[in-house]
Amino acid sequence: MSKIIVVFGATGAQGGAVMKALLADPNYKVRAVTRTEAKVKDLESQGAEAVVASFDDPESLKKAFAGAYGAFVVTNFWEIFSMEKEIEQGKAAVDAAKAAGVKHFIFSGLENVKDTIGKDCYHFDGKAKVEEYLKASGMPFTSVRYSFYYENLLYFFPPQKQSDGTFTITIPMGSTPMDAVSVADMGVAVRSILNDRDAYSGKFIGLSGDRLKIAEYADVISRVTGKTVKSVDVSSRRRVRQGRGKAQGETSWLTHDARQSGCG
């Protein structure tokens, strides 16, 4: 009999990739969680069972986890801009899953920056606190820690065209290598973890495809596109103006969110 896996964030990048990978495997049935009725038909058309549920609604979580073997849970700091709220939501999911008897809870976590370097980084630290709660729950779990998405170079840090026809990428990493991964590929990784619970239970798994300097990522883009792409070295505390933000007098997505999340 196929195992039911509850997938949160099924209409997003992480959850969507996990759902796609699991739907391709007859050993699993996907119960895709959405917060809005409007997305139910689309999820069902892809082959998933769709349920409407919210981290803020305990009764809906109870129904979402009922009868499930496993779960993939991702919280989203960027929707609420509150570490405390993200921790609350993550704990609610853990409690509901444990009560339902879920046998493998996979959480999209991150490292505790505060404990590591003594500096607040709310969108990391909140997930780390949920990891601690999950570990203490006694429920079989695995935490997967996604690195920087390659896809971010298309949406949040796209190369900016310069007056001479070249392009620049602005990510404040200096000469420090940065791990990165295609979020679209990671659904297969999560499926592999579900396939071998005993090997991965209780572990914190970092997911990475490459570890390159920003200049090296720029070189890769140059080779693939045939365009000249270079990296711009800036401090993480410096306001970077780029793209439409420059024209409209706004700071970039990077520096705005870094300040809001307590990093930078």
Side-chain angles (χ1 to χ4, degrees), residues 111-119:
E111 297 84 352
N112 193 316
V113 175
K114 178 70 171 179
D115 286 352
T116 303
I117 64 173
K119 187 174 185 177

Side-chain angles (χ1 to χ4, degrees), residues 99-113:
V102 167
K103 295 176 174 59
H104 196 181
F105 188 106
I106 299 180
F107 180 64
S108 179
L110 286 170
E111 297 84 352
N112 193 316
V113 175

Side-chain angles (χ1 to χ4, degrees), residues 36-89:
T36 61
E37 289 281 356
K39 296 180 180 178
V40 168
K41 288 186 178 180
D42 179 59
L43 291 168
E44 290 177 339
S45 72
Q46 297 178 61
E49 172 194 355
V51 296
V52 177
S54 167
F55 291 126
D56 302 319
D57 182 349
E59 282 302 311
S60 71
L61 290 179
K62 182 178 179 180
K63 294 178 182 178
F65 285 115
Y69 166 82
F72 174 79
V73 176
V74 54
T75 54
N76 191 352
F77 171 89
W78 303 111
E79 286 187 349
I80 52 182
F81 282 96
S82 168
M83 183 179 75
E84 291 75 17
K85 184 65 174 178
E86 183 173 25
I87 294 171
E88 179 184 313
Q89 291 182 340

Side-chain angles (χ1 to χ4, degrees), residues 3 19 26 31 38 40 52 95 124 132 139-140 149 151 157 171-172 175 195 227 233 239 249-250:
K3 298 175 180 177
M19 180 179 73
R31 182 178 294 160
V40 168
V52 177
D95 291 344
F124 271 65
E132 293 173 7
M139 180 168 47
Y149 302 166
E151 289 85 348
F157 303 95
I171 299 178
S175 61
N195 287 342
K227 307 292 184 180
D233 187 16
R239 290 191 175 188
E250 301 173 350

Side-chain angles (χ1 to χ4, degrees), residues 21-215:
L22 294 177
L23 287 172
D25 189 328
N27 291 310
Y28 299 108
K29 289 184 179 179
V30 174
R31 182 178 294 160
V33 178
T34 178
R35 289 171 299 175
T36 61
E37 289 281 356
K39 296 180 180 178
V40 168
K41 288 186 178 180
D42 179 59
L43 291 168
E44 290 177 339
S45 72
Q46 297 178 61
E49 172 194 355
V51 296
V52 177
S54 167
F55 291 126
D56 302 319
D57 182 349
E59 282 302 311
S60 71
L61 290 179
K62 182 178 179 180
K63 294 178 182 178
F65 285 115
Y69 166 82
F72 174 79
V73 176
V74 54
T75 54
N76 191 352
F77 171 89
W78 303 111
E79 286 187 349
I80 52 182
F81 282 96
S82 168
M83 183 179 75
E84 291 75 17
K85 184 65 174 178
E86 183 173 25
I87 294 171
E88 179 184 313
Q89 291 182 340
K91 287 182 175 181
V94 172
D95 291 344
K98 183 177 180 179
V102 167
K103 295 176 174 59
H104 196 181
F105 188 106
I106 299 180
F107 180 64
S108 179
L110 286 170
E111 297 84 352
N112 193 316
V113 175
K114 178 70 171 179
D115 286 352
T116 303
I117 64 173
K119 187 174 185 177
D120 291 318
C121 192
Y122 304 140
H123 68 291
F124 271 65
D125 297 344
K127 288 181 172 61
K129 291 296 184 183
V130 176
E131 285 184 340
E132 293 173 7
Y133 188 79
L134 176 57
K135 183 178 180 179
S137 73
M139 180 168 47
F141 80 94
T142 306
S143 183
V144 291
R145 294 170 172 175
Y146 285 68
S147 50
F148 182 91
Y149 302 166
Y150 296 136
E151 289 85 348
N152 287 342
L153 294 169
L154 296 175
Y155 303 109
F156 299 119
F157 303 95
Q160 300 298 310
K161 190 171 185 178
Q162 306 302 303
S163 58
D164 61 359
T166 63
F167 293 79
T168 60
I169 295 176
T170 305
I171 299 178
M173 291 293 294
S175 61
T176 303
M178 180 180 72
D179 286 279
V181 70
S182 171
V183 67
D185 292 342
M186 290 303 96
V188 176
V190 171
R191 186 180 68 194
S192 296
I193 291 170
L194 280 166
N195 287 342
D196 198 351
R197 185 190 70 172
D198 291 343
Y200 294 105
S201 183
K203 294 186 177 180
F204 302 85
I205 309 296
L207 302 177
S208 177
D210 280 303
R211 191 169 190 265
L212 304 174
K213 298 176 182 178
I214 303 303

